[in-house]
Amino acid sequence: MESQEQFTNTISYIATCLSMLCGGTTSLFATYGSSFSEILGFTQYETNMVASLGDYAHYMSAPLFGYLSSRIGPTRIIQTAGVLMFCGYLGLGYAFKHFDTPQEHASHYVASMSLLFALVGVGSKAAYMSSMATTASNFKHSRYSGIALGIPLSLYGLSTFVFSSVKAHWFERDSTPARYLVFMASASAVAHLLAACFVTLKDKSQLVIAGAARRRAQSAPRSTAEIKPAVVDKDSPPSSSEAIELTETRRRRMTTSVPHDDSTEVVTGNSVEDTATIDNTSKRRMSLDAAHITPLTPLPPQPEAAAAVAREPPIFHRFRRDPAAWALLLGLICFSGPGLAFVNNCGTMVRAMSHKTALSEEQVGQYKDRIVATQSFFSFASRLAVGYLSDVWRTRLRLPRAGLLVLAALLMIYAQMTAARVTRLEDLYTLAILIGMSMGSVFTLAPTITSETWGANNFGICWGIITLGPAIGGHVCNLIFGFSWDEGLVRIASRMGPETAQDRVLCDNECFAPAFVTTVKIAYLGLFFFTAVLFMPRILAVWRFKRQA
């Protein structure tokens, strides 16, 4: 039974990894984002509007899917993710294949493409939240929860690297990204529907096994002298006396090899019984028989426990009143916004810097794919490394994981300064490495901190709320980039004179450098809030001590 359960959990973990590997493809927007202006005639501001609305849908749906993952399980959520991503990518591919260059109805096309990319974002977040909630629940008692969460997260970051490499090898010669987007639709649907067949919650599998054992025990013939008949609902949870009998049987098997320890606690059902209570099981069963109470009669709940549960506020209200939650949310807004500004626009930056080189159109497309793949690979590597490092940092060095958040914020500040000083096409490689490492680190640390601070059972709801931060920050910084780009294009056109043709006006680093000068300041705010997360427990402890005094 134990080996079968371990095998089931391993297959479930592999299924979540598959879902994450094929779910983190929203960053692929950079590989085909320039096609919106080249094929559909969008301005850079309109292109960034599509990316921003997709990010909004991606992150704003996180609380919903976090709640549903903890209520209906991950299977249906992952199936929904596959359907949504299939529809979104298939619609984008159809649009690039059949739409003419819009001039008069540009707003109509912007709305349509935004809706289609939003479907991709919502599906990606559904796969992310269901997989992360499942992993956090299945590994909530493990001392290596950081690396257990880090592996699926690293695969989520590696997703862009894998599929951008596929595009560079097999779809780069295409004049439009239509065929590539149809491939993404098929791959997303097949991967998620396959993963949904095997993913399962560990706690739910234990409940199913316990329910089957209870039904077999109830159907077995029993002597009327030992047990009086009783009418029991089949769907009702096990009673306290049943839990006592199961615990007594388990204790008898264990006493032959395990010495008695008075401090041992055994979890039975919804109560915790110490060994002294278990030793008095026979006396309690005799008292039940003497009082003509059947073994299937539930014991009355303890008034102290019931009162404690009644006084416990809902997780949303506790989370909303926690200053650490607000600090982490604001930190993610100010940290992820500058990072997403590069992730969504690095393809546009490659095209701008390529005007100073002799690269052909095909070579520029390959360079763009390599920049996106570089950012994705270092995001993957940092997620994996930081997942292990944070466990060592926490368990052996006894230091809070939030200290690594501060280091990642410093790395983001340096990356934004580098982006503001880009002068060569090769500088984008360095920028992609810095952004990938910093983004991967934070998006590995933040979920682990959330799970440890507010509980693995509440992970879906709490992390879903916190991930609203990247939606807000990404939208603001994407609009800053788009506005800066269009303003720079107007300045260059005015210098070249009104008689210059529009297609002869080419942007360079002058169009995007002012945007990153602004995002550096936003990144400094992220450092401030992450520092507040680091010192918030000590600050609250001092405040509560002074309040009680």
Side-chain angles (χ1 to χ4, degrees):
M1 182 71 69
E2 183 178 354
S3 60
Q4 181 181 359
E5 181 180 352
Q6 185 177 2
F7 176 76
T8 302
N9 293 334
T10 302
I11 295 298
S12 176
Y13 188 68
I14 294 174
T16 59
C17 290
L18 175 63
S19 177
M20 294 287 275
L21 179 62
C22 297
T25 57
T26 53
S27 299
L28 286 172
F29 183 85
T31 63
Y32 57 87
S34 58
S35 299
F36 283 90
S37 58
E38 296 168 1
I39 298 176
L40 302 181
F42 286 14
T43 66
Q44 188 61 39
Y45 186 85
E46 290 171 341
T47 301
N48 279 27
M49 180 68 70
V50 174
S52 297
L53 293 179
D55 286 338
Y56 256 121
H58 177 75
Y59 291 108
M60 297 291 281
S61 60
L64 172 63
F65 289 117
Y67 173 81
L68 293 177
S69 297
S70 61
R71 293 298 181 269
I72 66 176
T75 301
R76 295 181 181 177
I77 305 301
I78 294 180
Q79 291 173 345
T80 304
V83 172
L84 290 174
M85 295 185 72
F86 175 80
C87 295
Y89 276 125
L90 190 65
L92 289 173
Y94 179 86
F96 278 111
K97 185 176 181 179
H98 297 284
F99 283 12
D100 295 328
T101 303
Q103 297 295 337
E104 298 179 359
H105 305 287
S107 60
H108 171 73
Y109 285 100
V110 170
S112 301
M113 301 303 275
S114 299
L115 177 61
L116 291 171
F117 188 61
L119 291 178
V120 176
V122 173
S124 175
K125 182 55 68 174
Y128 176 91
M129 291 304 301
S130 58
S131 300
M132 290 302 297
T134 302
T135 305
S137 178
N138 290 350
F139 290 89
K140 61 183 176 182
H141 298 305
S142 174
R143 61 181 297 185
Y144 299 109
S145 59
I147 189 64
L149 289 171
I151 291 176
L153 281 170
S154 63
L155 293 175
Y156 191 80
L158 188 66
S159 180
T160 303
F161 173 81
V162 172
F163 289 103
S164 63
S165 300
V166 170
K167 180 178 183 293
H169 283 85
W170 291 330
F171 300 97
E172 196 58 52
R173 295 182 181 273
D174 295 353
S175 58
T176 69
R179 200 164 64 96
Y180 172 64
L181 292 171
V182 172
F183 164 77
M184 289 301 305
S186 304
S188 301
V190 171
H192 286 102
L193 294 179
L194 181 63
C197 297
F198 299 100
V199 69
T200 182
L201 281 173
K202 183 177 180 180
D203 293 343
K204 181 172 289 188
S205 62
Q206 288 179 348
L207 290 176
V208 171
I209 294 173
R214 186 169 66 252
R215 287 191 295 270
R216 285 196 300 269
Q218 290 176 356
S219 62
R222 288 175 291 184
S223 173
T224 55
E226 293 180 352
I227 303 175
K228 296 183 179 181
V231 179
V232 181
D233 186 3
K234 292 183 180 181
D235 296 330
S236 62
S239 61
S240 300
S241 57
E242 283 184 295
I244 293 171
E245 289 182 0
L246 293 174
T247 305
E248 175 66 15
T249 304
R250 186 182 304 170
R251 186 187 67 82
R252 289 174 181 173
R253 292 197 306 264
M254 295 176 60
T255 51
T256 59
S257 59
V258 181
H260 179 73
D261 186 0
D262 292 338
S263 62
T264 304
E265 290 185 349
V266 180
V267 181
T268 60
N270 294 326
S271 62
V272 178
E273 305 281 353
D274 57 16
T275 54
T277 304
I278 297 176
D279 291 336
N280 293 328
T281 301
S282 300
K283 296 180 180 180
R284 181 177 296 184
R285 200 181 306 149
M286 292 174 59
S287 63
L288 289 173
D289 293 337
H292 302 288
I293 301 177
T294 65
L296 296 179
T297 304
L299 294 177
Q302 297 294 329
E304 295 83 359
V309 172
R311 290 192 302 266
E312 185 77 12
I315 179 60
F316 176 76
H317 297 292
R318 289 189 284 122
F319 185 78
R320 178 173 57 87
R321 297 172 183 173
D322 194 341
W326 285 100
L328 186 58
L329 174 62
L330 293 174
L332 277 182
I333 291 175
C334 299
F335 172 88
S336 59
L340 289 174
F342 172 79
V343 171
N344 291 329
N345 297 284
C346 60
T348 303
M349 295 171 65
V350 169
R351 183 162 295 278
M353 301 304 298
S354 66
H355 297 321
K356 300 179 180 180
T357 65
L359 297 177
S360 64
E361 285 296 320
E362 182 179 348
Q363 290 174 328
V364 170
Q366 293 175 350
Y367 208 99
K368 181 168 53 178
D369 294 337
R370 288 198 296 269
I371 291 293
V372 175
T374 300
Q375 185 271 332
S376 175
F377 176 79
F378 278 92
S379 175
F380 156 76
S382 64
R383 289 171 193 253
L384 198 60
V386 170
Y388 174 76
L389 179 62
S390 66
D391 285 334
V392 176
W393 184 278
R394 176 67 175 169
T395 59
R396 297 185 182 180
L397 301 180
R398 304 291 183 181
L399 296 174
R401 298 184 197 266
L404 296 175
L405 283 178
V406 175
L407 297 179
L410 291 172
L411 188 62
M412 177 59 74
I413 292 173
Y414 179 71
Q416 298 299 305
M417 291 180 176
T418 303
R421 298 193 301 264
V422 168
T423 56
R424 299 177 304 142
L425 189 60
E426 291 75 13
D427 294 339
L428 296 179
Y429 274 116
T430 302
L431 186 57
I433 293 172
L434 295 174
I435 295 291
M437 291 177 61
S438 58
M439 293 282 286
S441 300
V442 167
F443 282 99
T444 299
L445 293 167
T448 308
I449 292 173
T450 302
S451 178
E452 291 179 343
T453 305
W454 295 284
N457 295 332
N458 302 315
F459 174 82
I461 298 175
C462 296
W463 179 238
I465 297 173
I466 290 177
T467 51
L468 296 177
I472 301 172
H475 178 69
V476 172
C477 293
N478 277 333
L479 294 184
I480 291 174
F481 185 95
F483 180 79
S484 174
W485 182 276
D486 291 339
E487 286 291 317
L489 196 64
V490 170
R491 288 195 301 269
I492 294 175
S494 62
R495 287 202 304 265
M496 297 180 67
E499 67 279 358
T500 305
Q502 187 67 26
D503 57 352
R504 302 288 297 174
V505 180
L506 303 177
C507 259
D508 54 11
N509 59 336
E510 181 183 351
C511 293
F512 60 79
F516 289 105
V517 172
T518 304
T519 56
V520 168
K521 302 174 184 178
I522 299 176
Y524 270 111
L525 289 176
L527 174 63
F528 170 78
F529 288 117
F530 282 161
T531 305
V533 174
L534 175 61
F535 293 103
M536 188 64 68
R538 182 172 298 180
I539 294 174
L540 291 177
V542 172
W543 178 77
R544 288 166 183 164
F545 176 78
K546 291 184 177 180
R547 185 179 180 183
Q548 292 176 357

